[in-house]
Amino acid sequence: MGSTSNCSDVHRKARRHRTASAQSRVARLGPWLAPLALVLAGCGSSPSASTGAAATGQGAGPVHATTHHSGANVVNIAIADDPSGLDPQAFEDGNALAIYDNISEPLLSRTASDNKIGPLLATSWSQKDATTWEFKLRSGVQFSNGEPFNADAVVASIKRITDPKYVTAQGDFVGDINGASKVDDLTVDITTSAQDPTVPKRMSLITMVPVSAATNADFANHPIGTGPYTLVSTQKGGKTILQANPHYWGGKPAIDQAIFQPVKEPTLRLAGIKTGELNLVTGLLPEQLSQVPVAVHAAGLEFPTVILNTRGGPFADKNLRLAANYAVDSQTILNKLFSGFGHLANCQIMGPGTLGWNPDLRPYPYDPAKAKQLVQNAHAPSLNVLFVGDSSNRWLKDVELEQTISGYLTAAGFTVKPSFTDFATYLNVIFPPTNSATTARPDMIFVSHDNIFGDADVTASTYFLTNGGGSSTSNTALDAQILAARSELNPSTRLQDYKDINKSVCDDADFIFMMNTDNIWGMTSDLSWTPRYDAQILVNTMSFG
């Protein structure tokens, strides 16, 4: 889940797979259905949107310069909010990731178009036995403070992030990794407590930190990495300035300086890109596309969805979970709220870029008559449902989406009690300190989930497993399936296991499955940059010209 279309804020919560043009993505706008019209009229959403001639599709390649840039080699980037912090091993906040992804690097990379794993600080890797992976490291690499990057740094980085005393939101990155040992200066073994075929993917997410500097108490405010940029300054509520690292092992970047600015209001982000004060704006609203110099979009990892509580309350009844799915017209929501930028979720909260995606599943159809009949047949003394969501506009149109879902469910016969709270309160609800079969959960929780990890284990372990951090279900048979799939080393067997798990969750209607939204950015016409599948903002892939 993330902001500026990043699940990162809640759980990376791990951003993509199609290449159609913008014109083909925008659905023809049909008449509003009554529940949606009433809800959106109340929240002031625009009844229409257009893309403009400048919009490009993911497959169109980079957008090249057509005008002179007023601040040569300085790129100004708007993010949605202040970063939670800049310790690269501590946070999953997407606003923090946007910054320290340019400062720090992991052992392995992810390709821009399809999230495939490749070399970076490690040049090769192999599995030595069921719980040991060997990584060969790139020679001649240094951290920006002059400390060498070598096996000692990898061992220290793994030790730091797996230390029980170290507070990190990146536990889902770590998984079963429990240690590392030096073989020689450029060879390191990484070990796990159980069989884990996803270790290479994990090592594309766990960043490397310097042995000495990372022990400083102020490291979170002055992060040091091997990346193409170094931190100049940061200010809460203000700018974070990065400077090109002239000694970067990959070569000096084309952009000399990157300035990240928190701009919460979409109207202010739009104004900034129109005046040229900003060069790149994340989280552009679909209806703003025609007003920016250049609009680019890419298929994303974000899956706005609703977790239904199967442990108790109305949604312990599968028929009422089915009713909730039939009640919501996801296609109209996608067309109206998101101008068609995305696609229906195919009854799962992961896409084709994630191992375990099941191509045979289909969305629940919109069938308000069936939804009403199932509600009437329930004979429940009360169909009051508590709906918890975030009210801080953390994700694209999240408040409008929460209100729209409430409208559809009300029309089907549910009495929805909304509780749309600030982000900190919301996080404590969705991810309580402990979660088990006996933990009380709200009837409905809105979440925008992404899976940058690219493997179904992250989604299943967090939202499907009984003791998962964000789970609202308790299913011992499903638990057994998930635990077996997690340690399965045969790739084809593992793939089928997760396909079966997704089918079980779909059949049980444990979520209101809705859509997968695209990532949309606004750019000045002189910036050359191609959006990534994982929505990373890597400044060393940008240039002016």
Side-chain angles (χ1 to χ4, degrees):
M1 337 194 207
S3 170
T4 64
S5 282
N6 45 35
C7 162
S8 334
D9 298 319
V10 176
H11 170 78
R12 285 187 79 88
K13 279 115 338 31
R15 284 169 213 33
R16 296 165 219 296
H17 64 275
R18 296 169 303 135
T19 58
S21 68
Q23 289 83 354
S24 66
R25 302 261 184 128
V26 179
R28 294 185 180 275
L29 301 181
W32 284 94
L33 295 181
L36 187 59
L38 291 172
V39 169
L40 293 186
C43 59
S45 292
S46 169
S48 64
S50 60
T51 57
T56 71
Q58 179 188 12
V63 180
H64 294 290
T66 58
T67 62
H68 177 67
H69 178 58
S70 58
N73 290 324
V74 178
V75 63
N76 289 274
I77 301 170
I79 53 179
D81 207 343
D82 278 316
S84 299
L86 295 181
D87 183 334
Q89 289 191 332
F91 301 99
E92 286 192 280
D93 167 31
N95 299 301
L97 287 167
I99 295 168
Y100 64 62
D101 277 349
N102 293 285
I103 299 172
S104 303
E105 296 175 314
L107 291 186
L108 301 179
S109 65
R110 299 184 302 275
T111 54
S113 61
D114 57 11
N115 227 30
K116 301 300 183 186
I117 302 301
L120 192 64
L121 292 178
T123 57
S124 65
W125 60 96
S126 61
Q127 188 169 11
K128 295 175 73 171
D129 58 48
T131 59
T132 306
W133 292 75
E134 181 182 86
F135 290 82
K136 294 290 187 179
L137 308 181
R138 188 179 300 277
S139 63
V141 177
Q142 287 188 333
F143 290 93
S144 61
N145 67 342
E147 289 188 52
F149 169 74
N150 52 26
D152 293 326
V154 177
V155 171
S157 298
I158 297 300
K159 182 178 180 181
R160 182 176 190 259
I161 200 170
T162 58
D163 185 344
K165 297 179 182 178
Y166 177 66
V167 179
T168 178
Q170 297 182 13
D172 53 312
F173 295 177
V174 176
D176 292 321
I177 292 175
N178 64 356
S181 59
K182 176 180 179 178
V183 177
D184 57 46
D185 279 350
L186 295 178
T187 308
V188 65
D189 285 345
I190 293 177
T191 57
T192 58
S193 59
Q195 294 184 155
D196 185 355
T198 67
V199 168
K201 292 181 179 180
R202 298 188 185 282
M203 299 316 299
S204 75
L205 297 169
I206 298 174
T207 54
M208 298 293 105
V209 297
V211 174
S212 177
T215 63
N216 295 336
D218 204 32
F219 182 74
N221 297 319
H222 295 90
I224 292 168
T226 61
Y229 288 86
T230 61
L231 178 68
V232 175
S233 63
T234 186
Q235 181 180 7
K236 185 172 178 61
K239 299 176 180 180
T240 296
I241 302 175
L242 305 185
Q243 190 73 29
N245 178 2
H247 307 297
Y248 179 52
W249 63 267
K252 187 178 183 298
I255 300 293
D256 291 330
Q257 194 173 83
I259 301 175
F260 292 84
Q261 305 179 51
V263 184
K264 295 182 181 182
E265 291 297 325
T267 53
L268 295 179
R269 291 198 291 268
L270 176 62
I273 199 74
K274 290 173 71 174
T275 62
E277 294 177 24
L278 298 169
N279 301 109
L280 181 67
V281 171
T282 62
L284 189 68
L285 299 179
E287 58 267 31
Q288 296 174 334
L289 285 172
S290 62
Q291 303 178 58
V292 299
V294 175
V296 293
H297 69 97
L301 290 178
E302 289 292 342
F303 282 80
T305 189
V306 177
I307 305 169
L308 301 178
N309 181 16
T310 73
R311 298 175 187 171
F315 293 119
D317 182 345
K318 178 181 175 180
N319 285 322
L320 290 178
R321 300 198 299 273
L322 291 170
N325 274 280
Y326 291 129
V328 176
D329 186 354
S330 296
Q331 187 64 62
T332 293
I333 294 174
L334 181 62
N335 291 349
K336 287 303 215 177
L337 279 186
F338 301 98
S339 299
F341 284 87
H343 68 283
L344 296 186
N346 283 31
C347 207
Q348 51 205 310
I349 55 173
M350 62 187 72
T354 301
L355 184 143
W357 179 73
N358 190 330
D360 298 325
L361 301 181
R362 296 291 179 269
Y364 281 101
Y366 173 55
D367 192 334
K370 182 179 285 189
K372 289 179 181 179
Q373 189 62 56
L374 287 169
V375 169
Q376 291 170 5
N377 292 346
H379 302 297
S382 171
L383 281 179
N384 293 331
V385 292
L386 177 63
F387 186 13
V388 173
D390 170 49
S391 64
S392 62
N393 291 303
R394 198 76 177 186
W395 299 285
L396 186 64
K397 299 209 170 183
D398 52 1
V399 174
E400 293 98 319
L401 185 52
E402 290 161 349
Q403 294 172 330
T404 301
I405 294 164
S406 297
Y408 276 120
L409 294 180
T410 298
F414 292 96
T415 300
V416 181
K417 296 179 177 289
S419 178
F420 303 149
T421 68
D422 63 275
F423 192 62
T425 303
Y426 165 82
L427 279 181
N428 288 332
V429 173
I430 190 171
F431 295 120
T434 58
N435 200 356
S436 69
T438 59
T439 302
R441 300 284 281 170
D443 300 309
M444 303 165 59
I445 305 175
F446 172 83
V447 66
S448 189
H449 171 66
D450 74 1
N451 186 338
I452 194 172
F453 191 65
D455 191 284
D457 179 62
V458 166
T459 303
S461 298
T462 304
Y463 295 111
F464 304 167
L465 199 64
T466 296
N467 63 354
S471 174
S472 291
T473 191
S474 180
N475 184 329
T476 55
L478 185 63
D479 288 349
Q481 282 182 284
I482 293 169
L483 295 176
R486 174 181 292 170
S487 59
E488 176 59 58
L489 296 181
N490 183 289
S492 59
T493 302
R494 192 167 184 274
L495 174 61
Q496 188 59 52
D497 286 346
Y498 279 116
K499 286 182 178 180
D500 293 342
I501 289 167
N502 271 318
K503 185 177 187 305
S504 295
V505 173
C506 171
D507 290 345
D508 285 342
D510 292 341
F511 300 80
I512 299 178
F513 303 96
M514 291 186 293
M515 65 203 71
N516 174 203
T517 56
D518 288 355
N519 294 320
I520 304 173
W521 293 268
M523 294 167 49
T524 51
S525 57
D526 54 351
L527 181 66
S528 177
W529 178 66
T530 302
R532 291 175 56 90
Y533 181 74
D534 59 10
Q536 276 188 302
I537 302 174
L538 300 181
V539 179
N540 69 327
T541 65
M542 301 177 185
S543 63
F544 289 110

